[in-house]
Structure formats: structure tokens, C-alpha cells
């Protein structure tokens, strides 16, 4: 079953097929059904739904939500978990996590409405983001959400004026920027002084005092989020939470009210075989920095819960031999899964067929059909010969996959499927070309143009 370890482009050998499957408990591979998610062969989903299709494991979502909860409880923390909807906003995914007792962290009106539609109560929703519009704030106030994370002095004034004019009170936490380098990709770091997020931590005491004096606002605490996909240990978390703890003590000394501390998210996952901190390590970092404050804490994970739970199921269009490289062209493309093109991200790629899982392998570049050289999923990846119609699965695509999709090259959005044990269901229909064109209009003066 294993792919040869010699057919890789990197200095370290890629994990083979068996290692990729073994590290993901919701996946299995056998001689009869090939690659399977929970109890459902991916080939069965492809036959019923077509490709490309996103496939999510409800069991994996539950298992990871429970593992994070157990880690927080084991550290003796009073903690609430608010899933970051931006990672994967499918209503079925949100419903699974809501049933596990998770709230939601949203960054737009659409995400707030999705969370409510999935059954998340307003009392469990946090609204983050640097550019909330008046319309979004009105909705947040109307839904009486748990917390608004304000990210600037200007936003505090706007929330105050709006809430007071509506006769409402907004529960607001002040997001601070601790100037901590999380050592993650430059495009997803959020806690350094040059990033757009939060207020400088040195300015926080004065701003918090100002917030406490504003009408229409109930100050509830402070918040921090230093980045996404943090895998270089928990030292950055420890530094951020230590600074946050110092800030809380300073605010208390000034007689200012605090009810809780928002620790954000960012815990990374191993896409390849890189080491990644466990939730127990994150819980330990929170306890070290904030455990003596006697305040409940909040977490806002997204990728750690949803990322490993999803795959992108695709079909081979053609296998093409170039002058120096073999190309495997898929029907999925960068408009579906943007991460490799945008972040140079590595995703495991597995053949679905039981025969292909044990066939000899050689290096291949895995690409999509979009007219961009950047439409490349992998280079020099060890794969067997794959005829047109052969199925492959791109792993760990449950977060920042479908939510970042586009219709570039006029390609309709892929279908989404949820697997739960031996059952599966389409949880988002495949977009057709009629729907893709439905919102477009030709102005009347061009209707008779040649």
C-alpha cells in the first residue's frame, strides 16, 4: 500500500500512503472499497454526486471538539469554545458542532446568519473583525450576541453611538495586539505590531477606561488572537497570554470591570508530518498565563477542528507526459482549493482505488485545469499511474477550502457532502452553469448590439 519514499522533491521524504491514512482516524483503506471516510467509500460518493466534491466527516468534527474540551477541562480551566465559522461555514458542519456545545466566532453578517440558522444561540456568538459595518452591528445588537470584539478606538465610539441610539447595551471586549510573532505564514499572522488587528497593548488601559465610560457599552474583557496555523510550539501563545495577564492585572488595579478573557484561536495542524502542538499544550499555556486570574476564558478554534475532517474528492481528467515532468490534471482546481496557490500549502494526495493504493509510484505534478501556472496542488509527488476518471482525495481540506472557493474561469462551485457513520448526504448542491449566470444582466443598450 505504501508509496515509494524516494519519489519526492523535498529534502525530507513525504509520508507514504499508509502513514497518511493512519494519522487520520476517520480514514481507512482496504482491498475492496479503497479509500473510505468513516464507513462510506469515497468511490460511492463520487458515483452518486460526481466530482469535485468536498467530503466532511461528522465523526472527526465531534472527536476533535471533544478532545479540545477534554484538554481545557483537564487543565482546570473554565472555558467556552466558539468555533471560527470562517474556517468552514457549511450549515451541517455548524450543526454538528453546535450539538457538541460549541458557540460560534463570526466575522461577517453572513457568518452570523449561518450560525443562527444552524442553531447556535446569539448568547454563544462572538463577532470579531476589523471592519464591522453599521448593518452588521445592528444585526449583532438585534441578536443580543454574547460579545463584540472591538478592534479600534473608532469602533468603540461607533458601537457606543449605535447601541445608545437603539436603546440597547452591547457587550464588548477590547482586542489587543500584543506584538508577538507566532512564526506562521506571513499572510495569516495577526499579532504583530504591523498587522491590522487589534489595538496596541500599550494603549489598551486608556482605551478600556474610555470604553467603560461610554454609553451603550458593557465592557466584558480583553481579547487576543495572534495568527492561524501556529505549529512552532506554544511559546508564542505563552508570550501573548503572559502579556494579556499583565494587562488584566493593570485594569483590575485601576478598578475597571472584567468578566472574561478571550484567548482567540490559531492552533495548527500537521498537513504533512510536521510536529504540531496538542490541545493539552495550548491549555497549559493558557493556564500558565491566565490561570491565576479567576476569570473564565474563551477559545475560537477553526482549522484545528475542521481541517482534518474534510477531503476534496477529485477525478483525473488526463495524465500528461511533459518534456521533463509527468502531469496529473484533475477536475478540481485552484478556484476550489486555493491554499496551495496562495500559501504554497502542502496537502496529502491519495488515490482512491484499492489497486492504485498499492501500485508502483513515480513523481508527478498534480495540477488543475485553470489557465494559471499557479494552479498546482503538488510537485514531484509520488503517485501511481492514474488514468482518466481515476479518483484522488486531497486531504485536510475541511478548513479554508470550500469557504475560499471562487468561480474563476466560470467554474461552478463544487458540491459538499457530510458523512456520518455509514450515512452520507449532500449538504450543499453543486452549482450549475445556469445558477452561475443567473445574477448577470446585459444592459438594455447592448441587447441589440452585434
Amino acid at each position: 500500500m505504501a508509496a515509494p519514499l524516494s519519489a519526492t522533491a523535498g529534502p525530507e521524504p513525504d509520508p507514504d500512503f499508509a502513514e497518511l491514512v493512519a494519522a487520520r482516524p476517520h480514514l481507512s483503506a482496504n482491498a475492496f472499497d479503497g479509500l473510505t471516510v468513516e464507513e462510506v467509500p469515497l468511490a460511492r460518493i463520487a458515483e452518486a454526486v460526481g466530482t469535485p466534491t468536498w467530503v466532511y466527516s461528522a465523526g472527526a468534527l465531534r472527536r476533535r471538539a471533544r478532545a479540545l474540551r477534554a484538554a481545557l477541562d483537564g487543565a482546570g480551566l473554565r472555558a467556552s469554545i466558539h468555533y471560527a465559522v470562517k474556517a468552514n461555514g457549511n450549515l451541517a458542519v455548524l450543526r454538528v458542532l453546535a450539538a457538541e456545545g460549541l458557540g460560534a466566532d463570526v466575522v461577517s453578517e453572513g457568518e452570523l446568519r449561518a450560525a443562527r440558522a444552524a442553531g447556535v444561540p446569539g448568547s454563544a456568538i462572538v463577532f470579531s473583525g476589523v471592519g464591522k459595518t453599521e448593518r452588521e452591528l445592528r444585526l449583532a445588537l438585534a441578536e443580543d450576541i454574547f460579545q463584540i470584539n472591538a478592534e479600534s478606538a473608532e469602533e468603540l465610539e461607533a458601537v457606543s453611538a449605535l447601541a445608545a441610539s437603539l436603546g440597547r447595551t452591547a457587550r464588548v471586549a477590547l482586542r489587543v495586539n500584543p506584538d508577538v510573532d507566532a512564526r506562521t505564514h506571513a499572510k495569516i499572522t495577526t499579532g504583530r505590531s504591523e498587522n491590522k488587528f487589534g489595538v496596541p497593548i500599550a494603549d489598551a488601559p486608556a482605551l478600556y477606561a474610555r470604553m467603560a465610560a461610554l454609553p451603550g457599552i458593557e465592557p466584558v474583557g480583553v481579547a487576543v488572537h495572534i495568527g492561524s496555523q501556529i505549529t512552532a510550539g506554544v511559546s508564542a501563545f505563552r508570550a501573548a497570554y503572559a502579556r494579556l495577564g499583565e494587562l488584566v492585572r493593570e485594569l483590575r488595579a485601576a478598578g475597571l470591570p472584567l468578566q472574561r478573557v478571550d484567548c482567540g484561536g490559531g492552533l495548527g495542524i500537521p498537513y504533512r508530518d510536521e510536529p504540531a502542538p496538542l490541545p493539552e499544550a495550548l491549555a497549559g499555556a493558557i493556564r500558565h498565563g491566565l490561570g491565576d486570574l479567576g476569570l473564565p476564558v474563551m477559545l475560537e478554534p477553526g482549522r484545528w477542528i475542521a481541517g482534518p475532517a474534510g477531503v476534496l474528492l477529485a477525478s483525473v481528467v488526463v495524465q500528461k507526459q511533459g518534456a521533463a515532468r509527468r502531469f496529473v490534471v484533475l477536475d478540481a482546481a485552484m478556484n476550489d482549493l486555493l491554499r496551495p496557490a496562495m500559501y504554497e500549502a502542502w496537502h496529502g494526495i491519495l488515490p482512491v482505488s484499492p489497486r492504485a493504493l498499492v501500485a508502483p509510484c513515480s513523481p508527478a505534478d498534480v495540477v488543475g485545469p485553470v489557465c494559471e501556472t499557479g494552479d498546482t496542488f503538488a510537485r514531484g509527488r509520488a503517485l501511481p499511474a492514474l488514468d482518466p476518471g481515476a479518483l484522488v482525495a486531497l486531504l485536510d481540506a475541511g478548513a479554508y477550502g470550500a469557504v475560499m472557493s471562487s468561480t474563476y474561469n466560470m467554474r461552478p462551485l463544487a458540491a459538499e457532502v457530510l458523512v456520518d457513520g455509514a450515512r452520507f448526504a449532500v449538504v450543499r448542491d453543486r452549482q450549475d452553469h445556469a445558477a452561475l449566470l443567473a445574477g448577470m444582466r446585459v444592459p438594455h443598450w447592448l441587447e441589440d448590439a452585434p
Side-chain angles (χ1 to χ4, degrees):
M1 177 175 170
L5 295 184
S6 58
T8 64
E12 295 292 332
D14 287 333
D16 63 26
F17 295 164
E19 291 167 331
L20 288 169
V21 171
R24 293 155 179 83
H26 56 291
L27 296 182
S28 62
N30 60 64
F32 299 100
D33 294 323
L35 192 63
T36 298
V37 172
E38 297 192 33
E39 300 172 46
V40 179
L42 284 172
R44 188 189 306 168
I45 294 175
E47 182 179 5
V49 183
T51 60
T53 293
W54 305 94
V55 181
Y56 310 126
S57 163
L61 293 167
R62 295 186 186 107
R63 183 166 49 251
R64 296 184 74 82
R66 292 170 189 177
L68 182 56
R69 165 59 61 197
L72 296 168
D73 290 346
L77 296 169
R78 288 185 294 150
S80 59
I81 303 173
H82 305 263
Y83 167 72
V85 176
K86 61 180 174 287
N88 185 324
N90 186 281
L91 291 182
V93 169
L94 298 180
R95 180 66 65 87
V96 168
L97 297 176
E100 291 296 312
L102 272 61
D105 170 51
V106 305
V107 296
S108 70
E109 176 182 347
E111 289 187 359
L112 197 162
R113 291 187 181 278
R116 294 290 292 117
V120 181
S123 59
I125 295 177
V126 180
F127 202 136
S128 303
V130 300
K132 307 175 194 72
T133 65
E134 179 179 325
R135 176 188 169 106
E136 290 172 328
L137 290 171
R138 283 180 179 274
L139 178 62
L141 290 168
E143 293 289 342
D144 194 24
I145 68 169
F146 184 63
Q147 179 173 302
I148 296 171
N149 285 345
E151 305 218 13
S152 66
E154 294 82 358
E155 185 177 7
L156 288 174
E157 299 289 342
V159 172
S160 170
L162 180 61
S165 71
L166 296 173
R168 292 184 174 271
T169 299
R171 289 177 287 272
V172 180
L174 182 65
R175 178 174 175 179
V176 301
N177 187 318
D179 194 20
V180 169
D181 186 354
R183 291 183 288 166
T184 187
H185 195 286
K187 293 180 180 179
I188 52 176
T189 185
T190 60
R192 299 173 64 181
S193 60
E194 63 263 34
N195 299 140
K196 65 182 180 180
F197 302 95
V199 302
I201 197 164
D203 297 344
L207 278 174
Y208 199 93
R210 171 61 180 157
M211 178 172 71
L214 287 171
I217 286 182
E218 177 188 358
V220 295
V222 289
V224 71
H225 176 66
I226 58 173
S228 182
Q229 184 52 12
I230 299 171
T231 56
V234 295
S235 59
F237 288 118
R238 287 174 67 98
Y241 300 150
R243 295 181 187 179
L244 205 59
E246 293 171 0
L247 174 61
V248 169
R249 295 181 188 92
E250 183 176 352
L251 296 177
R252 278 179 163 174
L256 294 167
L258 294 102
Q259 299 178 25
R260 49 188 175 259
V261 179
D262 187 337
C263 298
L267 190 64
I269 62 172
Y271 282 95
R272 189 171 175 266
D273 55 0
E274 65 273 26
L278 297 173
E280 290 79 7
L282 176 62
I286 295 171
R287 181 174 181 177
H288 181 267
L290 305 169
D292 64 343
L293 299 176
L295 291 173
V297 299
M298 303 161 53
L299 267 76
E300 292 146 4
R303 183 194 315 266
W304 194 87
I305 289 176
V311 303
L312 176 57
L313 180 60
S315 297
V316 174
V317 176
V318 66
Q319 184 173 249
K320 171 183 174 180
Q321 183 60 54
R325 315 177 77 89
R326 174 169 68 112
F327 295 95
V328 175
V329 185
L330 305 180
D331 62 355
M334 64 184 289
N335 74 290
D336 299 303
L337 181 60
L338 183 59
R339 296 190 71 256
M342 187 171 184
Y343 303 122
E344 302 82 39
W346 195 99
H347 284 265
I349 301 175
L350 291 176
V352 170
S353 157
R355 290 185 179 181
L357 282 165
V358 296
C361 293
S362 62
D365 288 7
V366 183
V367 301
V370 159
C371 294
E372 299 273 357
T373 302
D375 184 23
T376 298
F377 294 117
R379 298 188 185 278
R381 195 67 64 85
L383 289 169
L386 294 166
D387 294 330
L391 299 172
V392 299
L394 285 78
L395 305 184
D396 304 314
Y400 305 105
V403 289
M404 295 180 74
S405 296
S406 74
T407 57
Y408 184 45
N409 279 195
M410 296 295 284
R411 290 170 48 84
L413 297 175
E416 296 177 57
V417 165
L418 183 74
V419 173
D420 198 349
R423 301 171 294 180
F424 74 91
V426 175
V427 293
R428 181 173 181 174
D429 293 333
R430 185 179 308 283
Q431 188 180 37
D432 61 24
H433 288 92
L436 187 64
L437 296 172
M440 300 183 186
R441 300 287 185 272
V442 175
H444 68 85
W445 64 85
L446 294 179
E447 290 177 355
D448 296 327

